[in-house]
Amino acid sequence: MTVGTPIERIWPAPVTGALTDPQLTALYGRAARPHLRVNFVASADGAVTLDGYSAGLSGEPDKRVFGLLRMLCDGLVVAAGTLRHEGYRAVRLSPERRAWRREQGLAEFPTLVVVSGSLDLDPAQAAFADAPVRPIVLTHADAVPPPGLTDVADVVRCGTPSPDGNGQADATGQGDGSGQAGGTGPVGTAGRVDGAGRVDGSGRVDLVAGLAELRRRGLDQLLCEGGPHLFGALTAADLVDELCLTVAPLLAGAGPGRISAGDTSVPRHLPLRHVLAAGDGVLMLRYARDLAETPPAGTAPAA
């Protein structure tokens, strides 16, 4: 691609000159074991949106890395509210990035994975209808799919039913902040979470079981783009291996939420791995687990 605003590495070992796409790809890379990476953008004072949107926080360098992270993943995980509010299109890549994936022995496109408590999804949305790879929807035991959804996506039930079994309540559509989903719109949530990583809707989407099922299907390298409640749920379940955080050089002021939301959970140590700086003042931070750590829940394939 044509590089506009240069990106340089300033820590741990400074690299003089603008980084190329191959150099950035090597810096982020693919893990040697099943791995969940989360990607977000925020202002310097912690805001996840400007006027309810992430577009004002995301510039050309951020979008460049955003695209490379999609190229590197097997599965792109997103909450249903984020999918709806951001108006996700089909997950497609440039010819150059598709060629890179083929050279690595990967599928030409990553698989879209949607987490939904109510299955309030539109099968005609381009993310489903125009998908180059059949998407996967993670839901709970008694959620009822709308007509046509199973024609365009695999619906995987990995949670407990609701007490009344009616499958009607939806905890995935609240606009509460922004995951970095292309920087084009407001973002919803993925519901409330308990300590086992189950997202509360009418029933519960068990994220531990869901990620294990994805890995059973060969989707080992996962990239989550939000929203904040899904990030909070994944953190509470100790499923997050890595956080890529772009920090925009501006103060948004009071009002917008954080990149993570939901019930409180145990703090998780996540060491800093690199700091990149773009010519427009943007910082790109990468935090990741030590490889020697015990793998998080959901790593092993489901039996």
Side-chain angles (χ1 to χ4, degrees):
M1 66 175 289
T2 301
V3 176
T5 307
I7 300 173
E8 297 184 353
R9 188 173 75 185
I10 61 175
W11 189 88
V15 174
T16 302
L19 295 168
T20 64
D21 275 8
Q23 288 173 318
L24 285 170
T25 299
L27 277 173
Y28 286 96
R30 285 171 58 91
R33 70 185 191 193
H35 191 84
L36 174 66
R37 169 183 280 156
V38 179
N39 188 30
F40 270 94
V41 62
S43 67
D45 55 350
V48 75
T49 59
L50 288 179
D51 298 323
Y53 294 82
S54 61
L57 298 173
S58 180
E60 182 266 330
D62 176 56
K63 288 183 171 68
R64 180 181 169 199
V65 171
F66 173 84
L68 289 173
L69 296 185
R70 283 190 167 192
M71 179 187 78
L72 287 163
C73 74
D74 298 320
L76 178 65
V77 183
V78 62
T82 300
L83 184 93
R84 290 192 297 265
H85 289 291
E86 291 278 6
Y88 263 58
R89 298 180 293 273
V91 179
R92 296 186 177 274
L93 305 175
S94 68
E96 295 77 15
R97 289 172 179 169
R98 289 158 58 191
W100 182 90
R101 288 176 66 88
R102 290 194 298 270
E103 290 168 2
Q104 308 305 312
L106 304 175
E108 198 166 358
F109 300 95
T111 299
L112 176 67
V113 179
V114 182
V115 180
S116 177
S118 71
L119 296 184
D120 179 16
L121 299 167
D122 180 4
Q125 185 173 342
F128 296 111
D130 192 38
V133 178
R134 187 174 173 88
I136 297 170
V137 179
L138 301 181
T139 191
H140 59 79
D142 62 7
V144 179
L149 183 62
T150 56
D151 294 335
V152 295
D154 290 349
V155 176
V156 177
R157 301 179 188 281
C158 51
T160 59
S162 60
D164 60 7
N166 63 19
Q168 296 302 308
D170 183 10
T172 59
Q174 303 168 26
D176 74 328
S178 177
Q180 185 179 293
T184 58
V187 175
T189 79
R192 295 176 60 79
V193 63
D194 65 14
R198 296 185 292 261
V199 179
D200 291 338
S202 52
R204 298 191 174 201
V205 181
D206 189 328
L207 295 174
V208 173
L211 264 61
E213 172 60 19
L214 296 178
R215 279 142 184 179
R216 188 190 69 79
R217 294 173 178 234
L219 305 182
D220 285 339
Q221 308 290 303
L222 300 173
L223 171 65
C224 177
E225 293 181 350
H229 275 78
L230 179 55
F231 183 23
L234 292 166
T235 300
D238 198 21
L239 293 169
V240 176
D241 295 295
E242 179 177 331
L243 169 64
C244 296
L245 177 63
T246 296
V247 181
L250 57 85
L251 299 177
R258 297 173 51 201
I259 63 172
S260 183
D263 294 343
T264 58
S265 60
V266 176
R268 315 286 181 187
H269 182 62
L270 208 60
L272 181 64
R273 299 303 178 189
H274 73 225
V275 179
L276 310 181
D280 57 0
V282 165
L283 290 179
M284 297 177 184
L285 313 176
R286 176 175 175 261
Y287 301 86
R289 290 179 187 261
D290 290 313
L291 291 178
E293 283 188 44
T294 302
T299 297

